[in-house]
Every structure is written in C-alpha cells, then in structure tokens.
Amino acid sequence: MKKYKVGYTTGVFDMFHIGHLNILRRAKEQCDYLIVGVSTDELVVSYKHKKPIIPYNERKAIVESIKYVDKVVP
C-alpha cells in the first residue's frame, strides 16, 4: 500500500510573482496533496505592521487557481 503524503506551506502571497510559483511547484513535488496557508490581512498587519496590497480574498483566489495547490486555508 502506497503512503499518501500531505504537504503544507504558508505565505502572504501578496503581489504574486514567479518566486511564489516556484515555492508552490517545489512543495507539490514533495507530496501528493498540498495544503497552502494564506496569511490573513489581520495576521500580516500584526507582524509586518503594514496591510497587504492585495486583499486576503483575492490572494486566496489567486493561490487556489494554481494547479499545484489542492487546498487553501487561512
């Protein structure tokens, strides 16, 4: 029986760029099912002391549309 490997990574993913895509691609290469945490606006403000340029719901939608991503969570 093959083991099913679940992966998890997280990020802000503000101003999505090729580096973000590469991180997600490489993460998916290491697992069968990739869960990605997208930091909420409130969390980003709490530790970066600035609001993301792209609102959370839009950043979440962008990450959800990436073929390497199986599930997005806050």
Side-chain angles (χ1 to χ4, degrees):
M1 176 183 235
K2 182 184 181 233
K3 290 193 175 193
Y4 186 74
K5 191 183 286 187
V6 176
Y8 176 78
T9 191
T10 187
V12 178
F13 301 104
D14 200 17
M15 302 301 293
F16 197 90
H17 55 77
I18 192 69
H20 292 130
L21 185 61
N22 288 336
I23 288 168
L24 297 173
R25 178 183 48 79
R26 287 193 304 263
K28 181 63 176 187
E29 289 171 356
Q30 303 299 312
C31 63
D32 302 302
Y33 188 85
L34 180 61
I35 301 169
V36 178
V38 175
S39 298
T40 63
D41 294 343
E42 295 80 15
L43 179 64
V44 175
V45 168
S46 76
Y47 71 89
K48 288 195 173 188
H49 307 290
K50 61 181 180 179
K51 190 172 181 179
I53 295 169
I54 308 298
Y56 169 77
N57 286 335
E58 293 178 23
R59 291 183 287 117
K60 180 178 180 274
I62 291 166
V63 174
E64 285 174 332
S65 73
I66 306 299
K67 69 180 181 179
Y68 309 116
V69 176
D70 296 299
K71 182 175 182 175
V72 174
V73 296

